[in-house]
Amino acid sequence: MATALSNAALRAALYRMLLMRRAEEEVIDLATNHENEIRGHYHVYIGQESSGLGACLALGPDDYVWTTHRNHGHVIARGGEPGPVIAEVIGRTNGYNKGRGGTFHVIAKHLGILQTSGIVGGCVPMAVGAAFSIKTRKTDQVSLVFFGDGVLEEGAFHEAINMASLWKLPVIFMCENNSVPPEGREQGQYPSSSLAATQLIDVPNAMNIESHIVDGSDIRAVAPLLSDLVVRARNGEGPFFVESRLTRWPGNMGAFPELIGGPYQIGWVWDPSTADAALQSWLTDSDPIALFARALVEEGVMSKAEVEADDAKASAEAADAKAFALSGPIPEPESAMDYIFA
Amino acid sequence: MSQERFIDSLRDGISEEMRADPRVIIFGEDVAVGGAFGVTGGLADEFGDKRVINTPISEDTIMGMAVGASIAGKRPIVEIMFMDFMTLAMSQLVNHAAKLHFMSGGQLDVPMVVRVQQGAQGGWGSQHSQSLEAWFAHVPGLKVVAPGNAADAKLMIRAAIQDDSPVIFIEHRGLYFKTDPDDLPVNDIKGFHEARVVRQGSDVTIVSYSRMVADALVAAEMLGAKGISAEVIDLRSLVPIDMPTLIDSVQKTSRLLIAHEAVMQGGLGAEIAAQVQREAFDYLDAPIERVGAPFVPVPASLALEKEFVPDPAKIVAAVKRMFGRD
Amino acid sequence: MDTNSDEGKIELLRRMTLIRAFEERVIELYHKGEFAGLVHVGIGQEAVGVAVAASLNADDYLYGTHRSHGHFLARGADPDKMMAELAGRATGYCKGLGGSMHLVAAEINAMGATGIVAGTLPLALGTALACQDEDKIVAVYFGDGASNTGGFHESLNIAALWKLPVVLVCENNGYAEFTPMSEHTVVEHVSAHCGPYEIPSHIVDGNDVFAVLEALEDAVQRARSGGGPTMVECLTYRLRGHYVGDPAEYRQAQEVKEWQEKDPLLKLSTTLQERGLLTVADVSQIMKEAENRIQQAVTFALDSPYLDATAMLDEVFS
């Protein structure tokens, strides 16, 4: 079992979560208040920070991470800088993909993030392929793939887990199920209207893949579990499946993200009743940042003032990131044909 | 003719067919709540959840189910959310839907319609923007149509549903919320696979389909100001193609340009050009020109996407080349 | 067909024998060059096809695989039209346009065979959806190899979710083409995939026609009463290679020999003889009749014309 995170690590984790959230708020700002920066669809990771960060903390620098259309938070959790992430979202040349990927495809090779995909389940076969490569090269890398609960409806997922299990590949399938009400995050069954399985983990279990359910909103549940599984995967005991259960942020209920009641206010952590009615119960029961911050203060790891100071710092860093992005050049039309072939 | 938006006109056509024929059903992701763009909005309320069926995210199986339902007496409409996702459904479409009538020696009909939207706009990137009609035009057994205006949307969806062969019905999401210009000659009702001359002209024939018909008309105006009279044809049907209408026009104008949003290389423009040059070689006064997207995945950046997507200016430039002007 | 009666039981053997005779002649004609293409025979798997056919009503639907000659013959397909189809003739079920892997005999509601592994599962689901209100059910075949495809899993999910009236018949013959099951998947039985979706399943000796019949009775009853899908996994073996011409060197001779001793025709004829329903002479007679019927089919097929090449162009669209 992994050792518990030190106080410094806990504080750093909270900062990272705040940074992830504030960066996503800047993305929403760009979509809402800046004409023509983001006209299409985009997806934010607000409300799921603990899950992505908890998993990424367990990984080493050489491991691979794969993700989905909801990738901004994962990239930052993995150590990506918010500036190039946001720049990529708005298609500037100082983005991680030089503006060619956009919101769905923020890729950072130096962080081991080799692909994100707008195709549901699109990265799962690739993650298995990378794990196959790891195994044949005999390194101790791990391939971790994030995806949502909808992926279990796609055939490619099943094909991929069959092969991962058959060949005992070092893959961690990290399923972020964000449709779970608060009381269900640790136990219980969640039937979906589009999946006949009442327990998501029954599916990988049927393929002899060791599977775990974890409360994704609790970083201190996610991090040790993932650390453990990563170590075991390095030892050839994989693959593993984790269902990280989360309760969806109310601002992500509609077709486009919405900052209900405006940007997050750190005061809501201490007093949810000051927030918009639509947010209150989520803030009380399910907001990973609120839960974590409250716990850290209660345990004496941080003071309220320190939390607020870190939030201010994260907000400033996110604002700088947005400025960095907006200052980035728009790609030259002459460069449109670059990067087609190697 | 009321000034309805394309999406409403399309929905009307679907509803009318569903009222007229109880065998018509709709499958797809989120269709019961209107679908990703709202085309099927309200249909579940009117027709119930046995006829407007929400599916899991399983394109391969959704496509196959539509085939299986169609050979057993239903007339399914399958909605595939993005043309890019057709890639997940290719085997059932190409290996079954297109071929069952043939392979069974005529015993089976596959009267299904695959509705799919495509088009690059909004910077949605290379997995949500591809125009892939050429792939399907290359598979014997599939009919492929692409209405370019609201009136045709309704007319053609009804014809597609009534057709006993599998039809790929291509919508452009850039057209969904547009109404038809007043001077569009749509009272001249055309058959399912007939092309329509939407603007008469004498110096050059510009053929297009779907969203780019509007661009072709804008280009024609611009060319008119420069003394070039352009005839614009809306192809409407990509398989089969109404070649006689094209040939008649080329015989009159002696010049042909084909414009589509899809990548030029391997696109439908190539097929049309090859057929026309063979059938009307002696009428041509200039090489046939094509306008299409460059051979590059659709970039996410809005600035680059603008370079990628063909537009009236590119059509005008290509026509000018045909007249030897810069 | 009433398989409880003596006559019914004998009919089971007749059908299995007819299939065997058909498949043996197909191999012979293929090697003689009378047939071309890719042909997959189901010698050794006859009990499954016959049991399924006996369990369905005439207006129920059937979907096959690439190895479906037996499935169709068991259902009552005309051997003449079957043989003519394999021989590419105009008098075949599909006018020669489908061939061995793409048989369609709509007159007996056998809606399709396909070369795409697991390809008929979604088709079967669509048909089941279409006839949900009509008291018809759909039986669909697939093999162990199909259980790794995405379409297989998507289909299990949807069949269970919407409680479709399907009978999922798995012919688990231990090999996905040239690869044994242990090398292509981690589960011991295909039915293991049913658990997460709560689809009931049976695992039976696929070479024991009565065992298969019993399992199918449950599956058919469930489908007809709106209870949704059931998987009947029939453990069987193909006594020949994957395709006609496959030397099957990937299999051990000992394994093949063991399964030959469990030949479904042998099992059934032995059982029927033991029960006093048939004599050795009767069995011989059944075999002779089958061979004669198939000879008739061969003559019919080889005497038939081919479809005119231009006529083929008319078969593209409805």
Side-chain angles (χ1 to χ4, degrees):
Chain A
M1 208 54 191
T3 52
L5 296 168
S6 68
N7 281 359
L10 290 170
R11 187 167 177 179
L14 180 63
Y15 182 79
R16 203 84 201 157
M17 285 166 66
L18 288 162
L19 182 63
M20 285 157 73
R21 183 160 304 183
R22 293 303 186 185
E24 292 285 52
E25 287 183 349
E26 297 294 359
V27 169
I28 296 174
D29 177 66
L30 284 164
T32 322
N33 301 322
H34 293 248
E35 223 182 302
N36 288 333
E37 291 299 347
I38 303 173
R39 273 179 9 219
H41 227 277
Y42 66 102
H43 306 267
V44 297
Y45 199 63
I46 294 176
Q48 304 186 196
E49 297 86 354
S50 44
S51 177
L53 184 61
C56 289
L57 287 175
L59 298 172
D62 296 328
D63 295 324
Y64 299 127
V65 173
W66 310 80
T67 169
T68 67
H69 52 286
R70 201 180 297 285
N71 56 65
H72 316 156
H74 291 145
V75 178
I76 296 173
R78 180 64 172 141
E81 296 188 38
V85 171
I86 298 178
E88 187 53 43
V89 173
I90 62 171
R92 305 300 179 98
T93 59
N94 56 350
Y96 273 126
N97 311 35
K98 303 192 168 68
R100 281 141 220 281
T103 168
F104 290 130
H105 307 290
V106 180
I107 290 165
K109 190 174 169 191
H110 66 289
L111 300 172
I113 301 175
L114 304 182
Q115 175 60 308
T116 72
S117 187
I119 305 300
V120 174
C123 280
V124 180
M126 288 190 274
V128 172
F132 179 79
S133 163
I134 291 168
K135 191 157 180 178
T136 52
R137 285 183 286 111
K138 299 190 168 65
T139 66
D140 68 353
Q141 292 163 286
V142 162
S143 181
L144 183 142
V145 55
F146 288 104
F147 52 93
D149 45 288
V151 165
L152 272 68
E153 297 158 21
E154 278 285 16
F157 170 77
H158 297 269
E159 295 183 359
I161 63 172
N162 176 50
M163 282 188 264
S165 182
L166 189 64
W167 298 333
K168 294 188 122 3
L169 298 177
V171 193
I172 299 189
F173 298 101
M174 182 83 176
C175 176
E176 292 180 309
N177 180 355
N178 59 6
S179 314
V180 183
E183 62 275 11
R185 287 199 302 265
E186 277 181 72
Q187 63 207 14
Q189 296 181 341
Y190 286 92
S192 148
S193 64
S194 28
L195 192 71
T198 46
Q199 277 260 80
L200 296 189
I201 61 168
D202 285 347
V203 175
N205 275 339
M207 293 275 201
N208 299 348
I209 295 177
E210 185 185 311
S211 306
H212 299 264
I213 296 173
V214 71
D215 179 355
S217 69
D218 180 356
I219 190 171
R220 285 192 287 188
V222 177
L225 172 66
L226 268 294
S227 286
D228 194 51
L229 296 178
V230 165
V231 166
R232 292 174 58 205
R234 293 197 204 293
N235 278 342
E237 293 173 49
F240 299 107
F241 182 97
V242 174
E243 181 191 347
S244 175
R245 292 184 170 179
L246 295 147
T247 305
R248 192 181 279 255
W249 171 57
N252 258 345
M253 298 293 192
F256 282 85
E258 192 198 334
L259 287 175
I260 299 172
Y264 192 70
Q265 291 174 43
I266 202 72
W268 295 346
V269 171
W270 325 121
D271 190 358
S273 72
T274 56
D276 193 292
L279 289 174
Q280 285 176 18
S281 61
W282 184 78
L283 288 165
T284 312
D285 302 322
S286 307
D287 173 10
I289 285 178
L291 295 171
F292 194 32
R294 270 179 229 135
L296 292 182
V297 168
E298 246 165 81
E299 293 161 27
V301 176
M302 291 175 77
S303 67
K304 268 196 204 177
E306 283 171 330
V307 172
E308 283 161 16
D310 276 0
D311 178 54
K313 192 160 158 247
S315 298
E317 192 179 335
D320 284 347
K322 180 172 74 185
F324 171 85
L326 284 170
S327 74
I330 290 171
E332 291 297 321
E334 297 79 56
S335 71
M337 301 295 283
D338 294 349
Y339 306 115
I340 298 180
F341 290 119
Chain B
M1 194 159 280
S2 68
Q3 282 304 292
E4 274 196 313
R5 301 175 308 172
F6 187 104
I7 193 173
D8 301 316
S9 200
L10 179 62
R11 189 185 309 113
D12 282 348
I14 297 172
S15 314
E16 281 174 23
E17 279 306 305
M18 289 184 79
R19 281 176 211 131
D21 187 345
R23 298 172 299 171
V24 181
I25 59 178
I26 304 179
F27 281 102
E29 294 161 17
D30 299 333
V31 295
V33 294
F37 298 93
V39 177
T40 56
L43 294 182
D45 293 334
E46 183 177 348
F47 299 104
D49 63 7
K50 284 207 168 348
R51 292 184 70 193
V52 183
I53 303 157
N54 258 9
T55 62
I57 307 174
S58 312
E59 285 80 2
D60 178 11
T61 298
I62 292 166
M63 187 67 77
M65 286 187 73
V67 177
S70 71
I71 63 184
K74 297 291 187 191
R75 301 188 81 89
I77 305 170
V78 187
E79 179 176 301
I80 299 290
M81 202 186 285
F82 282 83
M83 178 58 94
D84 320 70
F85 305 163
M86 288 282 262
T87 50
L88 294 153
M90 291 298 274
S91 178
Q92 291 291 344
L93 181 66
V94 170
N95 290 322
H96 289 156
K99 297 175 168 61
L100 279 182
H101 178 73
F102 181 86
M103 291 198 299
S104 72
Q107 291 174 79
L108 301 177
D109 289 337
V110 185
M112 59 188 264
V113 176
V114 181
R115 282 187 42 247
V116 59
Q117 65 77 24
Q118 66 180 22
Q121 60 170 42
W124 295 22
S126 30
Q127 293 175 348
H128 289 71
S129 310
Q130 296 170 85
S131 292
L132 298 173
E133 67 274 12
W135 287 7
F136 306 104
H138 197 61
V139 177
L142 296 177
K143 293 190 175 177
V144 185
V145 302
N149 58 71
D152 275 342
K154 177 167 173 176
L155 202 83
M156 292 173 76
I157 192 68
R158 296 200 68 176
I161 294 168
Q162 291 172 22
D163 198 304
D164 288 337
S165 293
V167 178
I168 314 285
F169 189 91
I170 299 178
E171 300 155 18
H172 195 293
R173 64 174 179 275
L175 286 175
Y176 277 152
F177 304 109
K178 295 223 157 46
T179 56
D180 294 341
D182 292 328
D183 58 358
L184 201 67
V186 292
N187 283 329
D188 163 29
I189 305 290
K190 289 294 180 185
F192 192 27
H193 300 298
E194 289 182 276
R196 175 186 284 112
V197 176
V198 290
R199 186 190 212 269
Q200 300 273 0
S202 54
D203 297 332
V204 59
T205 300
I206 304 175
V207 175
S208 187
Y209 50 88
S210 191
R211 185 193 65 76
M212 285 205 67
V213 175
D215 279 4
L217 287 169
V218 170
E221 280 295 309
M222 292 161 73
L223 287 165
K226 300 196 188 301
I228 296 176
S229 162
E231 176 148 295
V232 177
I233 297 181
D234 177 355
L235 208 53
R236 299 170 82 248
S237 172
L238 311 180
V239 176
I241 292 183
D242 179 4
M243 284 308 293
T245 298
L246 264 60
I247 299 294
D248 278 350
S249 179
V250 171
Q251 287 176 349
K252 185 172 70 165
T253 66
S254 309
R255 287 178 177 81
L256 175 66
L257 179 147
I258 308 122
H260 52 56
E261 191 179 303
V263 171
M264 192 156 61
Q265 183 166 318
L268 274 177
E271 174 63 26
I272 295 170
Q275 287 197 39
V276 172
Q277 70 83 31
R278 194 184 180 290
E279 289 200 45
F281 187 74
D282 294 322
Y283 289 90
L284 291 169
D285 287 349
I288 298 175
E289 282 280 351
R290 295 176 294 160
V291 166
F295 190 63
V296 63
V298 187
S301 162
L302 283 177
L304 288 180
E305 188 190 78
K306 189 174 177 309
E307 294 302 313
F308 175 88
V309 179
D311 61 16
K314 294 189 172 96
I315 295 175
V316 170
V319 170
K320 283 170 156 187
R321 277 199 298 278
M322 295 168 92
F323 286 90
R325 307 181 201 180
D326 299 315
Chain C
M1 189 162 69
D2 175 15
T3 53
N4 289 320
S5 70
D6 290 349
E7 190 44 46
K9 294 186 173 65
I10 295 171
E11 179 62 21
L12 291 171
L13 183 65
R14 267 201 206 98
R15 291 199 190 179
M16 284 167 60
T17 310
L18 185 72
I19 296 169
R20 180 67 58 96
F22 182 94
E23 300 283 57
E24 302 261 356
R25 287 307 302 278
V26 163
I27 294 174
E28 181 210 312
L29 289 163
Y30 190 92
H31 286 306
K32 275 199 185 139
E34 294 287 355
F35 292 168
L38 266 186
V39 181
H40 307 79
V41 295
I43 292 175
Q45 301 184 190
E46 294 89 346
V48 181
V50 167
V52 170
S55 307
L56 297 175
N57 292 343
D59 59 2
D60 292 329
Y61 290 101
L62 186 79
Y63 280 91
T65 64
H66 53 288
R67 196 184 303 285
S68 274
H69 309 160
H71 302 155
F72 279 54
L73 284 167
R75 183 91 166 118
D78 179 345
D80 291 347
K81 294 188 198 174
M82 292 275 298
M83 197 63 85
E85 184 56 37
L86 266 60
R89 303 303 211 267
T91 49
Y93 267 116
C94 308
K95 302 181 185 160
L97 301 173
S100 166
M101 283 195 287
H102 314 107
L103 293 168
V104 176
E107 69 188 11
I108 52 167
N109 289 324
M111 303 306 274
T114 186
I116 308 300
V117 172
T120 47
L121 274 160
L123 302 179
L125 262 52
T127 297
L129 186 75
C131 60
Q132 248 179 322
D133 299 325
E134 291 170 40
D135 188 35
K136 292 181 192 171
I137 68 173
V138 183
V140 57
Y141 289 94
F142 53 93
D144 46 288
S147 69
N148 297 325
T149 67
F152 168 81
H153 290 271
E154 292 183 358
S155 296
L156 286 193
N157 177 44
I158 292 176
L161 201 63
W162 297 347
K163 285 193 148 12
L164 294 175
V166 285
V167 176
L168 305 163
V169 184
C170 178
E171 286 174 308
N172 181 346
N173 63 14
Y175 287 84
E177 221 181 5
F178 310 147
T179 306
M181 193 158 161
S182 59
E183 286 181 29
H184 69 64
T185 188
V186 291
V187 297
E188 203 196 328
H189 289 119
V190 172
S191 304
H193 298 298
C194 292
Y197 307 109
E198 292 175 9
I199 295 174
S201 61
H202 300 271
I203 300 175
V204 297
D205 175 358
N207 288 6
D208 175 350
V209 72
F210 297 115
V212 182
L213 280 168
E214 197 184 322
L216 283 169
E217 201 184 323
D218 172 62
V220 166
Q221 200 271 331
R222 178 169 298 105
R224 257 190 237 296
S225 61
T230 311
M231 186 178 295
V232 177
E233 183 175 357
C234 306
L235 304 178
T236 180
Y237 198 79
R238 52 169 164 80
L239 293 173
R240 301 282 187 276
H242 171 66
Y243 57 90
V244 175
D246 170 20
E249 281 156 11
Y250 46 87
R251 300 205 300 196
Q252 308 287 6
Q254 179 59 25
E255 181 187 85
V256 179
K257 187 162 179 296
E258 279 167 14
W259 280 92
Q260 273 166 349
E261 283 157 20
K262 299 190 270 189
D263 184 326
L265 267 71
L266 194 63
K267 272 192 158 184
L268 183 58
S269 74
T270 305
T271 302
L272 295 181
Q273 286 174 72
E274 279 168 7
R275 293 188 196 179
L277 297 179
L278 289 175
T279 63
V280 171
D282 290 331
V283 174
S284 279
Q285 180 61 17
I286 287 174
M287 194 158 302
K288 204 182 258 118
E289 280 167 9
E291 284 166 8
N292 286 343
R293 181 63 187 91
I294 298 305
Q295 176 54 44
Q296 232 182 294
V298 172
T299 306
F300 171 81
L302 297 182
D303 281 348
S304 289
Y306 291 99
L307 191 70
D308 190 71
T310 47
M312 184 173 70
L313 299 174
D314 294 332
E315 300 289 346
V316 176
F317 289 120
S318 293

